[in-house]
Amino acid sequence: MHDQPKYQPLEESKFFKDGLASRAPVEGTIARGQLQEDEAYHFGKKDGAYLSYFPIEINQDSLIRGQERYDIFCSPCHDRAGKGRGMVVQRGFKQPPSLHEDRIRDAAPGYLFDVISNGFGTMYSYKDRIRTEDRWNIVAYIQALQLSQNIAVSKLNDEDLKKLGSIP
């Protein structure tokens, strides 16, 4: 097999009329594992609008997985608390917005998923680096992180208030 005649990529060919050995895939071909029929799951949108819900089940395991992926991919810029003071910012990169700003805290899950997937501003796309389900897990973790940093005292129960030292 090593010594058989073969074409290298982009090599000239006398066999095809256009003279190219490399052939384009047949129109409409979808690579194995690349079919993305579920618009909500794969793009964070339904009929062009950002999803206001999660297309996957969110549970303890998905939040733990989301935190792991957030710490790996997001914390270098956004820091582990989501305030936008990550290690790369401390070394001179542009500071991203805090994930606790009202406009981001009020954003739909589909919008956050879209930003992670396609990038925004100086943030680049992560869709080829982070699996689809993990991007949803990160969004769930971000919303849990936002809630943990911005919850109103009136929403805390007595046990939580005791932990904070507000009730003797």
Side-chain angles (χ1 to χ4, degrees), residues 32-46:
R32 186 177 303 159
Q34 298 300 312
L35 181 61
Q36 299 177 340
E37 286 185 309
D38 187 346
E39 179 186 15
Y41 177 72
H42 289 286
F43 302 103
K45 296 179 181 179
K46 184 80 172 179

Side-chain angles (χ1 to χ4, degrees), residues 7-16 18-25:
Y7 290 109
Q8 297 299 318
L10 305 178
E11 192 173 29
E12 186 179 358
S13 166
K14 292 182 175 144
F15 184 78
F16 296 106
D18 62 5
L20 299 175
S22 298
R23 311 309 308 154

Side-chain angles (χ1 to χ4, degrees), residues 63-80:
L63 288 173
I64 290 169
R65 177 73 177 180
Q67 180 180 16
E68 290 171 352
R69 302 294 97 186
Y70 175 90
D71 288 348
I72 292 167
F73 293 102
C74 308
S75 69
C77 295
H78 290 280
D79 75 54
R80 293 181 78 172

Side-chain angles (χ1 to χ4, degrees), residues 147-148 151-168:
L147 182 63
S148 75
I151 193 164
V153 174
S154 62
K155 293 190 176 192
L156 297 175
N157 60 32
D158 288 343
E159 183 181 329
D160 292 330
L161 290 170
K162 282 181 184 178
K163 289 177 184 177
L164 291 174
S166 299
I167 292 181

Side-chain angles (χ1 to χ4, degrees), residues 1-8:
M1 288 182 69
H2 179 69
D3 294 329
Q4 71 182 359
K6 60 186 174 226
Y7 290 109
Q8 297 299 318

Side-chain angles (χ1 to χ4, degrees), residues 38-45 51-67 69 109-110 113 116 130-143:
D38 187 346
E39 179 186 15
Y41 177 72
H42 289 286
F43 302 103
K45 296 179 181 179
L51 293 182
S52 59
Y53 61 91
F54 286 88
I56 63 170
E57 179 185 349
I58 303 300
N59 55 37
Q60 184 76 20
D61 291 336
S62 59
L63 288 173
I64 290 169
R65 177 73 177 180
Q67 180 180 16
R69 302 294 97 186
F113 179 85
I116 294 169
I130 306 172
R131 295 178 329 150
T132 304
E133 185 171 357
D134 283 340
R135 282 180 268 146
W136 283 114
N137 291 335
I138 290 170
V139 172
Y141 174 73
I142 288 171
Q143 290 193 333

